[in-house]
Amino acid sequence: MAAEGGGKEMNEIKTQFSTREGAYQLLTHSEYSRPNRVPFNSQGSNPVKVSFVNVNDQSGNGDRICFNVGRELYFYIYKGIRKAADLSKPIDKRIYKGTQPTCHDFNPLTATAESVCLLVGFSAGQVQLIDPIRKETSKLFNEEGLLSSQNPANSPSGTVV
C-alpha cells in the first residue's frame, strides 16, 4: 500500500477529526446506545450500584444486570463487556418518588429464567423484595423506617449496625 509523508497509510480509519462545523469523535457502542434520559450527576452524591445474576436459561445468555441511577432502577439482559445491552428495552424499570435505591442484590440460589428475587435497600431505610422478571413487588420491610444504620439508639446494643 502506498504511504504518504510521515509513514501513515492512505486508507487509515480515523477515530476523530475536525471540520469547520465542529469536531467529531467515534463513539463506542455502549456510549452510542446510552439513552439520553439517563441523568448524569457529576457531584457523585448518588452513587450507581450494580448487581449481577445468572439465571441459566436455555439461550445460553443467562446473565442479568441491575443498576440504579438516582431514583430509577433498571434491569437488563447482560451480554458481556464486548456487546452493549439494548438500553431502550429494559426487562424492568422502576422509578421511585419518595426515596431512592441505595443498594440491591439478587438471590442467586433461587434465580431462574422465569423468576429472580431482588432485594432493594432505600435511602429512608426500607427494604423491598421484588421480582423484575415477573414485574412483581412482593414485600416492603421496615416501611416505618424504625431500623436505621444512622441512628445508634435504634440498635439493640446502642451501636451503629
Side-chain angles (χ1 to χ4, degrees):
M1 184 167 276
E4 295 178 348
K8 291 189 177 182
E9 294 182 13
M10 284 178 43
N11 295 331
E12 177 184 0
I13 297 175
K14 296 184 179 193
T15 59
Q16 60 186 13
F17 60 92
S18 297
T19 65
R20 66 176 174 220
E21 290 86 16
Y24 297 88
Q25 181 177 4
L26 180 66
L27 297 175
T28 63
H29 183 66
S30 60
E31 290 174 316
Y32 179 75
S33 64
R34 189 184 86 203
N36 293 334
R37 292 187 64 257
V38 176
F40 176 72
N41 185 356
S42 62
Q43 296 174 350
S45 61
N46 298 325
V48 174
K49 302 292 182 184
V50 179
S51 297
F52 293 94
V53 69
N54 187 300
V55 296
N56 294 325
D57 68 355
Q58 300 292 339
S59 69
N61 191 13
D63 291 328
R64 302 293 184 262
I65 184 172
C66 177
F67 62 92
N68 65 292
V69 179
R71 297 187 184 279
E72 299 179 2
L73 186 71
Y74 297 92
F75 182 70
Y76 289 95
I77 293 174
Y78 181 67
K79 298 178 182 177
I81 59 172
R82 303 248 184 244
K83 295 180 183 178
D86 184 358
L87 297 180
S88 65
K89 298 178 184 175
I91 295 173
D92 193 23
K93 174 185 168 189
R94 296 169 187 246
I95 301 172
Y96 298 94
K97 295 185 181 188
T99 184
Q100 64 186 23
T102 57
C103 59
H104 42 79
D105 200 7
F106 292 103
N107 182 352
L109 301 176
T110 62
T112 66
E114 296 81 30
S115 176
V116 62
C117 291
L118 176 67
L119 274 176
V120 183
F122 295 92
S123 56
Q126 304 96 334
V127 177
Q128 187 176 37
L129 178 62
I130 64 173
D131 187 335
I133 294 176
R134 292 183 182 171
K135 296 180 177 34
E136 292 178 352
T137 302
S138 298
K139 294 186 179 186
L140 182 63
F141 302 97
N142 196 31
E143 192 170 359
E144 298 82 23
L146 298 176
L147 300 176
S148 172
S149 63
Q150 304 298 316
N151 187 353
N154 290 337
S155 169
S157 63
T159 59
V160 175
V161 179

